[in-house]
Amino acid sequence: MWNGLVGVAKETYTASLNEGVVPRPLMMPLVRGELVGLIWVRPLKVGQDALTGIAELANIAAAAGADEVVLAWETHDVATACELPIVGPAPCLNMVVATRDGHVLHQFPYSEQLLSRSSEGWASVAPDWRPAPTPQPSGELVPPIQAAVNFSFTPIELDHPDPFGVTVVLMEEDGYRISLTEAFAR
């Protein structure tokens, strides 16, 4: 399963960078080893809104009763959006796999190969994946990612017959892009 999730994240990054866009942070919650879906963060404003928006990725995981989550983000993009110092390699696709008992940080650094530049100055690039460093058990996570990990395992208390369904609807209304797997689609 892990190799498949890494493959999805790398394919998404490659396609997005080719279009001149850095993919937004992504969460992939799992329940008993089954993928719930893919949740991309909503459009963010720099600063507190970015910190909050990334942490709120946890809502779907918490509502689904996830026992494992995988988050993916780009080092420089999240640092810039959240006005935080850059920690770790950049550019770099980071992925953390977490359970209630802890997490392991995986980093996939890359260099950018310029493919083209638009008349507006947007660059289309291809990632040239570099060797990945050794996975880091309990590796340092930037604050919004750490918050998303922590909140993923905090039960959501909603007085509603379908807390998962209502959470999905509310998050979609807020601008999160959610793609549920067939088993969790309603």
Side-chain angles (χ1 to χ4, degrees):
M1 172 73 81
W2 172 248
N3 290 338
L5 296 177
V6 170
V8 165
K10 283 185 169 183
E11 287 172 18
T12 299
Y13 267 69
T14 299
S16 294
L17 290 171
N18 189 26
E19 295 174 8
V21 178
V22 175
R24 294 183 191 153
L26 165 68
M27 177 177 273
M28 298 171 272
L30 294 100
V31 174
R32 291 178 297 285
E34 189 169 348
L35 182 65
V36 172
L38 307 175
I39 301 95
W40 286 270
V41 78
R42 62 178 166 72
L44 304 170
K45 294 178 186 156
V46 172
Q48 185 60 46
D49 183 62
L51 292 163
T52 301
I54 294 168
E56 287 175 346
L57 284 168
N59 291 343
I60 297 286
D67 45 33
E68 185 175 4
V69 294
V70 176
L71 281 94
W73 72 99
E74 201 284 325
T75 300
H76 189 265
D77 184 54
V78 168
T80 300
C82 297
E83 300 177 315
L84 298 169
I86 294 174
V87 177
C92 182
L93 165 62
N94 300 279
M95 293 182 73
V96 63
V97 58
T99 65
R100 288 186 194 323
D101 299 325
H103 69 269
V104 178
L105 174 62
H106 300 260
Q107 295 179 307
F108 304 97
Y110 59 92
S111 60
E112 296 175 341
Q113 305 301 315
L114 181 63
L115 298 175
S116 65
R117 188 171 296 281
S118 72
S119 58
E120 296 86 24
W122 294 101
S124 173
V125 299
D128 181 12
W129 299 104
R130 302 293 183 203
T134 303
Q136 303 167 46
S138 301
E140 182 181 358
L141 303 177
V142 292
I145 300 297
Q146 184 66 63
V149 166
N150 294 346
F151 295 143
S152 290
F153 306 110
T154 303
I156 288 186
E157 296 180 23
L158 285 175
D159 185 19
H160 191 277
D162 183 13
F164 177 73
V166 75
T167 300
V168 169
V169 168
L170 291 173
M171 288 188 68
E172 286 178 330
E173 287 177 356
D174 283 346
Y176 290 86
R177 196 172 91 210
I178 300 170
S179 176
L180 299 175
T181 59
E182 191 174 310
F184 288 88
R186 300 196 185 262

